[in-house]
Amino acid sequence: GAQKIVDVAIVGVLAGDVYRQRMEGISALISNGFSVTASVGKAYDEYNNIYGSAKIAYCSSAMGALACRIFENMNQGCLVITDRVRDLEKVGFVENVHYLGFNGMPELVAQAHRAMDDEFCKTMVRNAQAAVAPHTWQSRAETILREVGL
């Protein structure tokens, strides 16, 4: 994969009451010595390059919803650290196997420290990429074509 030059990346809305936890998390990570790239409005190659250069993808949901970025970040080769949201298990993702979960800033920072171990991180990323493979657009298209006999 790409060289990891930053510890943590997050691309998304960084303002407003709904996303207050995102800003608190960014501050907590920075104050604990992690390098963080936080951006708004990035798309396509720029979005992929930001996450491709990060070891950790920090996900903080809006109102507990399962975000598309979790699927994207797993496929991009990041270890996903996310607040514990509903439906992660329903799509086949298991905490401490495919992603690291957190409730509150102390646990976010603790999980980020765990992710700094290279072997642990590589294992988690491999697990996540295997788990997310059936959810890619390529996989979905192949399933549809197979089902319709093409």
Side-chain angles (χ1 to χ4, degrees), residues 13-57:
V13 176
L14 300 175
D17 287 344
V18 170
Y19 297 106
R20 181 168 286 128
Q21 178 176 267
R22 282 187 187 168
M23 295 308 300
E24 290 171 359
I26 291 166
S27 295
L29 290 164
I30 291 170
S31 68
N32 280 276
F34 293 94
S35 59
V36 177
T37 297
S39 303
V40 178
K42 307 300 181 194
Y44 309 114
D45 288 345
E46 196 172 9
Y47 178 87
N48 284 326
N49 290 338
I50 289 168
Y51 282 111
S53 68
K55 190 171 205 169
I56 297 166

Side-chain angles (χ1 to χ4, degrees), residues 6-9 34 51 54-58 78-81 112 115-116:
V6 66
D7 296 330
V8 182
F34 293 94
Y51 282 111
K55 190 171 205 169
I56 297 166
Y58 165 45
C78 296
L79 192 162
V80 171
I81 301 179
M116 289 295 101

Side-chain angles (χ1 to χ4, degrees), residues 4-5 8 24-25 28 64 103 107 111-112 119 123 130 137 143 148:
K4 304 300 184 180
I5 58 175
V8 182
E24 290 171 359
N103 292 320
E107 190 176 19
Q111 296 291 42
E119 286 308 309
T123 299
W137 289 112
T143 299
V148 298

